[in-house]
Amino acid sequence: MARSVAAEKFHEDLINLYTSAVQFCDCQPISLSSVVAEGGLPAAKKYLASNTVRSRLFPLSEYGRVDLSVESLVLRAEYRGLFEPNEIQEAEKRLNFLKPLVSQR
């Protein structure tokens, strides 16, 4: 998949992810205004660079829906090529942090 096509698809999937997270968990995994204003890929990169995002993951983990996280989307095979290795590592680190919490449910 060409990078621009993949970036457009990522943007669409990020909006769908946001909608599902709000619908099923009543939480916002990322700022929708950032996604709309900046585009999905830049917003996700900014989110991954932020140090204060774990609070967005905890509600998803409480519902057992970390699949609706930005991190899960970033780690999908079709989108890994859009991200730098350090961004992928950060997404993995965040999800690994939640594994013990999710498995306790």
Side-chain angles (χ1 to χ4, degrees):
M1 186 178 331
R3 187 171 173 90
S4 62
V5 172
E8 288 175 25
K9 179 85 170 91
F10 181 86
H11 178 85
E12 291 171 17
D13 284 351
L14 189 56
I15 290 175
N16 291 335
L17 178 140
Y18 175 90
T19 303
S20 296
V22 169
Q23 178 183 1
F24 294 116
C25 306
D26 195 28
C27 67
Q28 301 172 4
I30 193 169
S31 167
L32 185 60
S33 61
S34 293
V35 173
V36 171
E38 301 169 22
L41 186 57
K45 287 176 172 283
K46 183 177 176 181
Y47 169 83
L48 289 170
S50 171
N51 292 326
T52 59
V53 296
R54 285 198 173 133
S55 62
R56 293 188 182 267
L57 280 171
F58 287 125
L60 294 173
S61 70
E62 289 175 357
Y63 283 93
R65 294 303 307 263
V66 293
D67 61 306
L68 296 177
S69 68
V70 175
E71 291 82 355
S72 291
L73 189 62
V74 167
L75 295 176
R76 288 187 191 169
E78 67 261 36
Y79 299 130
R80 282 181 172 251
L82 296 173
F83 295 92
E84 298 298 322
N86 64 311
E87 294 167 327
I88 292 169
Q89 288 174 338
E90 180 63 25
E92 289 172 337
K93 181 176 88 175
R94 292 177 186 182
L95 291 181
N96 286 333
F97 175 80
L98 289 178
K99 278 185 182 178
L101 300 175
V102 173
S103 65
Q104 292 175 359
R105 302 201 190 302

